[in-house]
Amino acid sequence: TAASFQDLNPAGATAAEIRAMTDMQQVGIVGLGGVAHAGIWFGTAESFVDINPVSSVSSEALATIGTAQAGYAMWDSHRHAVLWFGSADSCIDLQLAIGPAYRESQARSIWTDGSKIIVAGDADGHPMLWELTMVPEPKPALLVGFAFMVLAVVKSATRRTSKG
């Protein structure tokens, strides 16, 4: 209905396009100052997050699983497939994994089973898959336990050294 219409164009943007979405997140491209920037929305124009890497000429988000976004960023006039985790600072240049044999790449799709992320795309017209294994963040209680264990080992080593 007309009442369900939602304009997601962020303030200051000349244009915006959604490329993919999950139930809670939308990703795409926004024109800011004449430059295309990859971005994430959470249902409103005000929620827009610019994820264009600082050193990149331009970028575009083409896929999302909610916790990670895939697309490309331009460096040296060439597209590089990239993966983001919700911010510009989290950008991973997937082009680095395929080396100089390919000039350009882009990530077009993303999937996860919870332990790995698979990104599909292309490089110089060749289909590509990138697989990343997810490493869980240590829980604070584990870090505290690890710190006490390290401290105990250091104290034990110090006692042995001073005795002998």
Side-chain angles (χ1 to χ4, degrees):
T1 67
S4 68
F5 170 78
Q6 182 71 26
D7 184 354
L8 297 182
N9 203 58
T14 55
E17 295 180 24
I18 301 297
R19 299 289 195 222
M21 62 183 279
T22 65
D23 61 334
M24 300 295 290
Q25 181 183 103
Q26 305 80 40
V27 298
I29 187 170
V30 171
L32 295 170
V35 177
H37 284 224
I40 303 170
W41 293 261
F42 299 91
T44 67
E46 297 76 28
S47 68
F48 176 74
V49 177
D50 185 348
I51 59 173
N52 187 67
V54 175
S55 60
S56 171
V57 176
S58 65
S59 58
E60 183 173 359
L62 300 170
T64 183
I65 54 173
T67 55
Q69 303 76 35
Y72 69 85
M74 298 274 295
W75 283 285
D76 299 324
S77 302
H78 297 291
R79 289 181 180 192
H80 288 213
V82 295
L83 182 64
W84 292 276
F85 293 92
S87 70
D89 293 340
S90 68
C91 181
I92 297 172
D93 185 352
L94 299 174
Q95 176 79 23
L96 299 174
I98 59 176
Y102 300 94
R103 282 177 62 105
E104 290 194 317
S105 61
Q106 57 188 342
R108 295 183 170 274
S109 182
I110 185 171
W111 174 85
T112 186
D113 67 0
S115 65
K116 64 184 170 193
I117 295 174
I118 297 181
V119 178
D122 61 87
D124 295 345
H126 296 262
M128 294 284 170
L129 287 175
W130 291 268
E131 184 175 320
L132 295 90
T133 302
M134 296 166 51
V135 178
E137 289 186 35
K139 303 220 182 310
L142 291 175
L143 289 175
V144 170
F146 180 72
F148 283 124
M149 186 176 74
V150 169
L151 183 60
V153 169
V154 169
K155 282 186 176 181
S156 175
T158 305
R159 282 189 214 125
R160 275 187 256 141
T161 309
S162 64
K163 289 182 181 178

